[in-house]
């Protein structure tokens, strides 16, 4: 399964203000870099928790089969369309009766084609995310994103000295995010 973000989450100016306040920065010189760090921290938050923090529009490319298939991002808010994907990349929209969708109580979105077609793949478009805006994010997730972005901002000096920051989030960030972490048994 391959996921593409069609419409990325909107990061409000409040997020940048929160990060700048945490770092004690009052100028706008580093705003682009800080915004990029916030977006990266949001992606790492999703990777750690299994939950997309801010609402985004996504597309998953899935095998065109009759089995139920789970979408890659959670929590799914809405599944808005399904297309068959030809080998040459052209899409053919499916009628609503040609597929079944389900959104579970835990936010897991699933889709099943009722009559799989000739193309081997289908594209599913959906909206997923825990909160529509920065201020609506739970405090622990929001504060963890700020702390992680600040950690990476401060770690840039270490990177110049040849020391790479750890791939895992710092313990304080992990502690904030751990209650939101989705665990899967394999």
């Amino acid at each position: 399964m391959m996921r593409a973000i069609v419409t990325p989450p909107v990061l409000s100016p409040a997020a940048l203000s929160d990060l700048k306040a945490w770092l004690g920065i009052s100028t706008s010189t580093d705003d682009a870099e800080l915004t990029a760090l916030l977006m990266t921290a949001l992606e790492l938050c999703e990777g750690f928790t299994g939950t997309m923090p801010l609402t985004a529009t996504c597309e998953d490319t899935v095998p065109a089969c009759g089995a139920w298939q789970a979408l890659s991002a959670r929590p799914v808010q809405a599944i808005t369309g399904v297309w068959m994907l030809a080998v040459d990349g052209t899409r053919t929209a499916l009628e609503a009766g040609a597929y079944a969708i389900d959104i579970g109580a835990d936010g897991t979105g699933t889709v099943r084609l009722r009559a799989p077609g000739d193309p081997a793949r289908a594209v599913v478009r959906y909206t997923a995310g825990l909160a529509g805006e920065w201020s609506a994010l739970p405090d622990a997730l929001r504060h963890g994103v700020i702390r992680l972005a600040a950690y990476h901002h401060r770690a840039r000096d270490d990177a110049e000295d040849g020391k790479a920051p750890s791939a895992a989030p710092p313990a304080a960030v992990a502690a904030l995010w751990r209650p939101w972490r989705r665990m899967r048994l394999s």
Side-chain angles (χ1 to χ4, degrees):
M1 180 181 313
M2 181 175 62
R3 180 179 83 187
I5 296 181
V6 177
T7 307
V10 176
L11 194 61
S12 73
L16 181 59
S17 295
D18 289 350
L19 177 57
K20 288 171 74 171
W22 182 263
L23 290 169
I25 296 174
S26 58
T27 65
S28 60
T29 308
D30 295 329
D31 284 2
E33 176 194 348
L34 295 174
T35 300
L37 287 172
L38 283 168
M39 294 303 286
T40 300
L42 284 168
E43 289 176 21
L44 293 171
C45 178
E46 179 187 0
F48 185 87
T49 63
T51 300
M52 184 174 274
L54 293 176
T55 303
T57 302
C58 305
E59 285 185 348
D60 280 3
T61 302
V62 299
C65 66
W68 284 102
Q69 299 177 76
L71 301 174
S72 62
R74 290 176 185 88
V76 172
Q77 304 298 324
I79 298 172
T80 58
V82 179
W83 295 264
M84 293 304 289
L85 183 63
V87 176
D88 66 359
T90 58
R91 293 182 181 195
T92 305
L94 293 177
E95 299 290 328
Y99 58 90
I101 59 173
D102 185 47
I103 301 174
D106 66 347
T108 300
T110 55
V111 66
R112 177 176 65 89
L113 301 179
R114 295 189 192 273
D118 187 24
R121 298 177 298 162
V123 175
V124 182
R125 182 174 287 185
Y126 60 100
T127 304
L130 191 60
E133 59 186 41
W134 177 255
S135 61
L137 264 178
D139 289 339
L141 292 178
R142 190 173 61 242
H143 191 64
V145 168
I146 293 296
R147 290 185 74 141
L148 184 59
Y151 170 78
H152 284 291
H153 178 71
R154 291 181 181 134
R156 67 186 177 162
D157 294 333
D158 290 340
E160 291 171 1
D161 295 337
K163 300 174 190 171
S166 170
V173 174
L176 289 166
W177 288 348
R178 194 166 288 118
W180 293 91
R181 192 169 201 178
R182 297 178 52 90
M183 301 302 289
R184 287 181 278 195
L185 299 175
S186 52

